[in-house]
Amino acid sequence: MDDQRPRPPPRPGPQDRAPLQDHPTGRTPRLRKGLRHTQGQAPGAFKPYLNSRFTAGCTSGTRLFHEIRERGYTGSIQVVRRHLAKLREGTVEPVRADIPRPRRIASWIMRPRETLTDQEVEKLLDVRVACPDIARACDLARCFRDLLVSRRGGLLLDWIRQAEQDAPAPVRSFAAFLRQDLDAVTAGLTLEWSSGKVEGNVNRVKTIKRVMYGRASFRPLRIRVLLRN
């Protein structure tokens, strides 16, 4: 007797499948990878540009958004506006990769403004915006440099009072150290006399001693020290 068990129905082929009505092409729509990341992309490498433009006076989020979009930015305008809001509040954090070394920042602060290049000025502005303590220390350091170069020691006490009010901790410590010997420091910033020439001669004698150590007696050493040549 033949086996009369029912066979399963055949699977529908591609020609039997009905096209999807919710997609115009009838194909299964594919979600773009990283769509959410693209829509919420942070300014990233464009933060220094936004910081410098904001410091220069351009605070329009729409305008800055179009400027960085022309430079390759693919994120949303809401992210740019949030970054500008942090700049207004002073709570923005700097990009770690864009932070120069402390010694380089100190050189930008202590050098005359006219000797800085445009790129160095922009980087210093980025650092000042990112860190209010550095901005305040920069102002006080440049003011102290002007006192030193112009020999205006009479204004030293006013500088110390400003530093003791709202300066960062290292600057306040330096101001307290100056107050301990205020008269001597004021004289050093006012008078043209200093111990620089004496220290220069001491260093010259030490250099000669190191050069001639073990190669000559005391008499040739004395002659060479006394003779400037």
Side-chain angles (χ1 to χ4, degrees):
M1 186 174 181
D2 297 337
D3 189 3
Q4 300 296 331
R5 286 182 300 178
R7 296 181 180 181
R11 291 185 178 183
Q15 66 278 2
D16 299 328
R17 296 178 183 176
L20 297 176
Q21 300 298 329
D22 56 347
H23 198 273
T25 61
R27 298 178 181 178
T28 304
R30 296 182 179 179
L31 297 178
R32 289 185 299 172
K33 295 182 179 180
L35 178 61
R36 183 178 301 177
H37 175 72
T38 303
Q39 292 179 349
Q41 181 182 3
F46 301 95
K47 282 186 178 181
Y49 179 81
L50 293 175
N51 296 348
S52 60
R53 295 285 288 131
F54 183 85
T55 306
C58 182
T59 59
S60 174
T62 304
R63 181 177 178 181
L64 293 176
F65 169 73
H66 289 295
E67 289 182 3
I68 63 176
R69 190 172 65 175
E70 293 177 356
R71 290 166 169 79
Y73 177 64
T74 58
S76 63
I77 189 174
Q78 288 77 10
V79 179
V80 178
R81 288 174 176 173
R82 284 197 297 267
H83 181 70
L84 296 179
K86 293 181 180 180
L87 288 177
R88 296 185 184 96
E89 297 173 359
T91 59
V92 64
E93 296 183 0
V95 183
R96 294 298 176 184
D98 296 330
I99 298 180
R101 294 182 179 181
R103 182 170 296 181
R104 180 167 298 180
I105 297 176
S107 66
W108 295 341
I109 294 175
M110 299 308 300
R111 285 165 52 190
R113 298 175 180 86
E114 58 273 9
T115 61
L116 298 177
T117 63
D118 295 340
Q119 185 178 6
E120 292 174 345
V121 172
E122 292 181 1
K123 290 184 178 180
L124 182 58
L125 287 176
D126 295 338
V127 175
R128 288 172 61 95
V129 171
C131 184
D133 288 342
I134 293 182
R136 182 55 179 161
C138 177
D139 296 336
L140 291 173
R142 286 180 170 176
C143 182
F144 186 83
R145 181 184 179 278
D146 294 338
L147 295 180
L148 179 62
V149 175
S150 304
R151 295 189 180 276
R152 294 185 295 177
L155 302 177
L156 177 63
L157 186 58
D158 296 337
W159 184 91
I160 293 177
R161 291 171 180 172
Q162 293 180 6
E164 291 175 344
Q165 291 178 359
D166 56 353
V171 181
R172 291 200 305 268
S173 177
F174 176 70
F177 177 77
L178 295 180
R179 185 181 284 275
Q180 295 177 1
D181 203 0
L182 182 60
D183 294 337
V185 179
T186 303
L189 294 176
T190 306
L191 302 177
E192 61 180 358
W193 306 104
S194 66
S195 61
K197 296 181 179 180
V198 178
E199 294 296 333
N201 289 325
V202 172
N203 292 334
R204 184 177 62 86
V205 172
K206 290 182 178 179
T207 302
I208 295 175
K209 288 175 61 178
R210 293 190 182 99
V211 171
M212 299 184 61
Y213 180 77
R215 299 180 181 178
S217 60
F218 178 75
R219 185 176 180 181
L221 176 62
R222 179 175 179 274
I223 295 175
R224 185 172 180 181
V225 170
L226 295 178
L227 298 177
R228 295 182 179 272
N229 296 328

